[in-house]
Amino acid sequence: MSTVISLSDARLGDRGVITRVKPGGTDAHAAELERRLLELGLIEGARVQLLHNGLFGRDPMALQVDDMRVALRRHEAANLTVELFAEAAE
Amino acid sequence: MDALVRPLRVALVGNPNSGKTALFNALTGAHQKVANYAGVTVERKEGRVQARSGRSIALLDLPGTYSLRARSPDEEVTRDAVLGRLQGEVAPDVIVAVADATNLRLVLRLILELKAVGRPMVLALNMFDIAERQGLRIDLERLSASLGVPVITTTATRKRGIPELVSAIEAAAAPAWSESSEGQWTAPDAAAIRAAHGRAERIMRDCVRPPERPDTLTGRIDGVLLHPVGGLVILLALLFVMFQAVFAWATPAMDGIEAVFGIVGAGVASVVPDTGPVWPLVQSLIVDGLIAGVGGVLVFLPQIVILFAFIILLEDLGYMARAAFLMDRIMGGAGLHGRAFIPLLSSFACAIPGVMAARVIDAKRDRLTTIMVAPLMTCSARIPVYTLIIAAFIPQQTVWGFANLQGLVMFGLYAAGIVSALAVSFVIRKVLWRGAVEPFMMELPAYKRPDARNVLFNLWTRARIFMERAARIILPLMILVWAASTFPYPPEGASGPAIDYSFAGMAGQALEPLFAPIGFNWQMVVALIPGMAAREVAVAALGTVYAIADAESAGSLLATTLAAQWSLATGLAFLAWYVFAPQCVATLGVVKRELNSWKWMWVMVVYMFALAYLAAFVTYRVAVALGGG
């Protein structure tokens, strides 16, 4: 059994696989954001884990993305969908 | 034939944090030249290395990037240099892709993108020692075959693999390379990026076996340093230690420099005769103008070196990205990007590298905001002004049982700079951008032990740039100040001090009414005029003004003179003025170049002078009302 959430709703320690990278909207801004996320390795199939949260509003978030670490604001993380690993598998 | 004679042109391209600059230093050693690209202000770092065959290789260190699809001015330079589109530059004969061997995924995609450019390429797998230590297995032959480029393993910090890399560069350069051919590269769309990433992923799977002993240290350190509360406390403690160091550790060196210049000045004064119509003038020019001028600037070198030592160490360690992470929300509240932390921190040494470091901010608006507030950070040129005034007016005493009052005032001045920078950026965001927010995303690199030689090398580069600036800008201005406060001579039988009759005196007296409401006397106004060149010049200028104006005090300390001549309110108003006033032509010049706009430079001049006048006015009036007049 698996749960699909928006990365912006992730909680500390959550692990999963990115299933969708799609910024809302169809304007140039959304297209640019999508490419930037991809170039930083935030891409479908990448394994992510939420490592740390910032102090205020749990923002920004520090993620493990495959074998590197990336800092991201929750505002941008809302464009990513993650399928969480089942707890039992952990 | 020509191709054999002219140096081989090579460009280093790679992700940020790939050790690219360390590799550049290892390749070229001291044979480096730092300049700017024509038309843009991105630093152009070129170095030379001699191949065994005797052929000379000209290496270009390009700003780190994840993609040729440029967003910031830095990345644009990388793209245009690689494609040979840069004005006054020719496309490189060979591209050297520099990769962190322990972090290949993203750079493999970049390499696939670079391949589209069609230039010969060599892949340098840098930090290979760390990869070996982690037990990371990379099938080099297979990697080379999959990518279609030769692969060389390097450890820049230990100069391993350097001769092999040079040979590979030479071998890769096709002799019949056509000069005019342009790259086939076009900006990839999201689908193309996904496809390239998929290919990179397959190459990773085929050629790289995951490390047997993965880096768990970074995770453990982050557990402490990125802790929501603990991390911020550590960051603040680190900043506190840094400023303590700047003040405490630099003092002996600064005293030494002052003493040396004092001895040299006295020596010259005893050698040059002071009789006749010309000799006293020559002696005055050398001792008061040249030696005092150079000494007055070089005296900050220890502080600048210590501050940069911290910044370079933290950067090489990988901590700066963490600091940006911790500060993002705090600065975000004021409308600043987390990445603005690094430029603003550099601005504590000098606003010029700070404004230039703002290039790492890819969001245009965030970059503009950062540049506009960077000069509010207390740069080291303000330190001598602050130290002088504090020594003159703030008693050396302990408050609350542990804090030094003078240190506390200094801390307050720094805090005033930071708070006003946050306030101004908040206003800029609300008024100009109507609250729009740019994305914040950045890699948090693995922690690495800084390499001593590399740190020292970068430190030396910073110190050299500062000294060159001192020689080129500040020294001529010091001579100008000396001349302006020496000529014309007072008329025969004049009773007042000689400077009353000089050009500087006239200008100071003419502007005095404007500054009277904030408690400034004309000597201060005189000092502010050359102080436009650079803040610290004002100290030397005050020395000149008062040393000439009052022969009695020539031998005593400037601080004692000021304490006698100014009221407490005036001293405090002067401090308040210095928190805000854009007293640095060089910074304004850099701002103009970086933003490519006169308008924004004038906006900065006006808003900073307005704040300075307002702050000095309020400080003066309040201090007078409280009995400090």
Side-chain angles (χ1 to χ4, degrees), chain B residues 3 59 67 78 151 156 164 200-201 305 309 344 381 385 519 588 607 620 625:
Chain B
L59 279 151
S67 158
T78 301
V151 177
E164 292 83 350
E201 199 74 7
V305 166
L344 293 183
V385 180
L588 296 175
Y607 103 76
Y620 182 69

Side-chain angles (χ1 to χ4, degrees), chain B residues 95-369:
Chain B
I95 294 171
V96 175
V98 186
D100 172 355
T102 63
N103 189 9
L104 282 174
R105 209 175 298 263
L106 297 188
V107 77
L108 287 179
R109 200 201 61 74
L110 176 66
I111 292 167
L112 293 174
E113 200 178 337
L114 281 169
K115 281 208 68 178
V117 174
R119 299 266 152 187
M121 185 154 59
V122 176
L123 169 59
L125 280 185
N126 198 24
M127 307 193 196
F128 200 67
D129 58 333
I130 301 178
E132 280 180 324
R133 223 176 304 139
Q134 291 181 0
L136 186 76
R137 292 278 176 73
I138 303 175
D139 186 337
L140 297 174
E141 272 170 40
R142 198 158 180 185
L143 183 63
S144 173
S146 314
L147 292 170
V149 300
V151 177
I152 307 292
T153 62
T154 59
T155 302
T157 49
R158 294 186 196 171
K159 298 212 171 203
R160 279 197 205 136
I162 303 300
E164 292 83 350
L165 180 58
V166 172
S167 308
I169 290 170
E170 247 199 319
W177 185 256
S178 130
E179 293 273 332
S180 59
S181 81
E182 243 224 15
Q184 300 302 306
W185 180 86
T186 47
D189 59 9
I193 295 172
R194 283 191 172 91
H197 193 90
R199 281 180 63 199
E201 199 74 7
R202 275 194 296 281
I203 295 173
M204 267 299 267
R205 256 202 317 271
D206 287 351
C207 310
V208 184
R209 267 230 319 264
E212 291 158 8
R213 295 173 293 280
D215 165 37
T216 55
L217 189 63
T218 296
R220 276 181 287 155
I221 298 175
D222 270 349
V224 178
L225 295 185
L226 289 187
H227 185 274
V229 179
L232 274 173
V233 171
I234 292 171
L235 175 60
L236 286 179
L238 208 60
L239 291 178
F240 184 77
V241 169
M242 195 161 123
F243 289 121
Q244 283 294 311
V246 165
F247 290 107
W249 303 354
T251 311
M254 294 173 76
D255 290 347
I257 292 173
E258 269 183 338
V260 167
F261 276 90
I263 292 166
V264 172
V268 171
S270 66
V271 171
V272 180
D274 56 357
T275 50
V278 180
W279 284 118
L281 202 59
V282 172
Q283 192 197 74
S284 163
L285 171 64
I286 296 176
V287 176
D288 301 331
L290 291 176
I291 296 175
V294 176
V297 174
L298 278 188
V299 82
F300 311 125
L301 190 60
Q303 288 182 333
I304 288 181
V305 166
I306 290 174
L307 193 60
F308 270 117
F310 272 94
I311 290 176
I312 294 169
L313 271 173
L314 292 177
E315 180 86 61
D316 285 7
L317 190 68
Y319 183 72
M320 281 306 193
R322 271 73 184 183
F325 175 87
L326 291 167
M327 294 302 292
D328 179 63
R329 197 55 195 263
I330 295 168
M331 306 213 310
L336 283 166
H337 198 271
R339 275 199 184 174
F341 182 71
I342 297 160
L344 293 183
L345 191 62
S346 305
S347 299
F348 280 114
C350 176
I352 292 170
V355 167
M356 301 207 295
R359 289 179 199 140
V360 299
I361 303 172
D362 38 30
K364 253 190 198 142
R365 291 166 171 174
D366 286 343
R367 182 163 169 262
L368 175 67
T369 313

Side-chain angles (χ1 to χ4, degrees), chain A residues 21 32-36 39 41 43-44 52 55-56 59-62 67-71 73 76, chain B residues 67 69 71 105-106 109 188 194 197 218-219 325 328-330 362 437-444:
Chain A
V21 183
E32 170 62 22
L33 184 60
E34 180 179 0
R35 292 196 283 186
R36 290 183 57 181
E39 281 165 1
I43 192 164
E44 289 87 352
H52 305 283
L55 176 58
F56 306 101
D59 200 31
M61 49 213 291
D67 38 21
M68 60 187 277
R69 288 170 189 75
V70 170
R73 280 190 195 145
E76 278 78 45
Chain B
S67 158
R69 232 167 39 75
R71 292 177 300 265
R105 209 175 298 263
L106 297 188
R109 200 201 61 74
R194 283 191 172 91
H197 193 90
T218 296
F325 175 87
D328 179 63
R329 197 55 195 263
I330 295 168
D362 38 30
V437 185
E438 299 272 2
F440 167 81
M441 47 177 92
M442 67 191 296
E443 188 179 349
L444 300 169

Side-chain angles (χ1 to χ4, degrees), chain B residues 446-461:
Chain B
Y447 289 104
K448 304 220 163 64
R449 204 175 58 207
D451 174 57
R453 211 174 26 195
N454 216 35
V455 170
L456 287 175
F457 193 91
N458 291 336
L459 204 52
W460 164 241
T461 309

